Amino acid sequence: MSSERTGQRVLVTLRRMISAGELAAGERLAEIPLAERLGVSRMPVRMAFRELEQEGLLVRAGARGFAVRAVSPEQIIGAVEVRGVLEGLAARLLAERGASEAVLDTLKTCLKEGDALFENGCFAEADAPLYLDLNIRFHAAIIQASGNLAIQEALSRNDHLPFASVKALAIDRNNLAAEYKRLNYAHIQHHAIVEAIAAGQGARAEALMREHANAVLRYTELDPAREGVAILRGS
């Protein structure tokens, strides 16, 4: 087995162990015992620790160690709801103050890229990083153009919870047809949000953005521990 496949297997296995409670919240993790338990070298375990820290599933414990983060599904749901409120406020402020041509051009560029991504009626695994990138730029443009630094700071703190940030995208590589429906729906919402912002409809822009965030809770049923699920992160 290649080192890349070994690393992916270790990452998925550790996600599953955390999700199932085999690695309990607060439990300190060490490379050597886990490597021996999984029958691999220390390197893929070390790399998996770093990735799981980025995903918010592990936290630093001491100079070199890690521990399983205690996060409940209710916390994640709450974080997504908070993101919807904050991003909704940002969209309303932007619509009411009037979006500049530069901001609208940035948003419309994201829409065009999304249109091209979904125009074939299917979604490939290679499309996921492209969607993640345009989605990050779309949301960042609205938040930054709102002119409210407090919103940016609050979102930065909120985004530390796993899967609550637009900078993280979970996809099921074994069911890309469902992923097409899910992400295309989100892209259609992007179009409606831009239309409301461009028209100066603050209340509508806010409602659409909140609905957009909360749609994650209704249309995503991805278990990060399930085989075939990949977690992508953007910068």
Side-chain angles (χ1 to χ4, degrees):
M1 183 180 293
S2 69
S3 59
E4 182 178 350
R5 290 185 62 188
T6 299
Q8 183 63 27
R9 179 176 65 83
V10 169
L11 179 61
V12 170
T13 299
L14 290 178
R15 278 205 208 106
R16 183 181 299 117
M17 293 170 72
I18 293 170
S19 177
E22 293 179 46
L23 298 175
E27 182 177 346
R28 291 176 66 94
L29 305 181
E31 292 177 9
I32 294 177
L34 269 176
E36 292 176 348
R37 182 175 176 179
L38 299 176
V40 297
S41 67
R42 294 174 62 180
M43 184 55 68
V45 174
R46 181 179 304 166
M47 299 302 293
F49 280 179
R50 294 173 183 172
E51 179 66 24
L52 292 169
E53 181 190 19
Q54 290 295 313
E55 293 178 9
L57 295 177
L58 297 182
V59 293
R60 293 275 177 177
R64 300 180 60 183
F66 290 90
V68 178
R69 184 174 188 177
V71 178
S72 68
E74 290 76 19
Q75 285 177 292
I76 296 174
I77 290 171
V80 172
E81 290 174 340
V82 167
R83 174 160 64 84
V85 171
L86 292 170
E87 292 192 335
L89 175 58
R92 177 170 68 80
L93 291 174
L94 177 57
E96 290 177 348
R97 72 186 297 182
S100 68
E101 286 300 318
V103 170
L104 290 175
D105 285 345
T106 297
L107 295 174
K108 290 175 182 178
T109 296
C110 293
L111 295 182
K112 289 178 182 178
E113 291 176 11
D115 291 344
L117 208 57
F118 295 108
E119 66 181 355
N120 293 327
C122 60
F123 192 76
E125 185 176 344
D127 294 331
L130 302 177
Y131 177 81
L132 177 60
D133 179 66
L134 75 85
N135 191 51
I136 291 172
R137 286 186 282 118
F138 181 88
H139 286 261
I142 293 173
I143 294 163
Q144 292 170 9
S146 73
N148 190 315
L149 183 59
I151 293 176
Q152 298 180 42
E153 293 175 345
L155 280 169
S156 178
R157 291 191 296 271
N158 191 67
D159 285 351
H160 283 96
L161 283 176
F163 318 123
S165 170
V166 296
K167 294 182 180 179
L169 175 66
I171 62 164
D172 187 349
R173 294 174 295 189
N174 294 335
N175 194 356
L176 293 175
E179 294 300 357
Y180 172 84
K181 293 179 181 178
R182 177 171 72 97
L183 298 177
N184 186 48
Y185 178 79
H187 181 62
I188 292 171
Q189 289 181 314
H190 282 178
H191 272 278
I193 291 166
V194 173
E195 288 175 4
I197 290 173
Q201 299 170 335
R204 181 166 177 259
E206 180 175 20
L208 288 168
M209 186 62 97
R210 293 182 67 163
E211 165 67 18
H212 180 54
N214 289 331
V216 173
L217 303 177
R218 291 194 298 279
Y219 294 95
T220 303
E221 298 178 352
L222 293 182
D223 176 0
R226 194 171 73 232
E227 191 68 34
V229 172
I231 309 296
L232 287 74
R233 289 192 65 86
S235 57

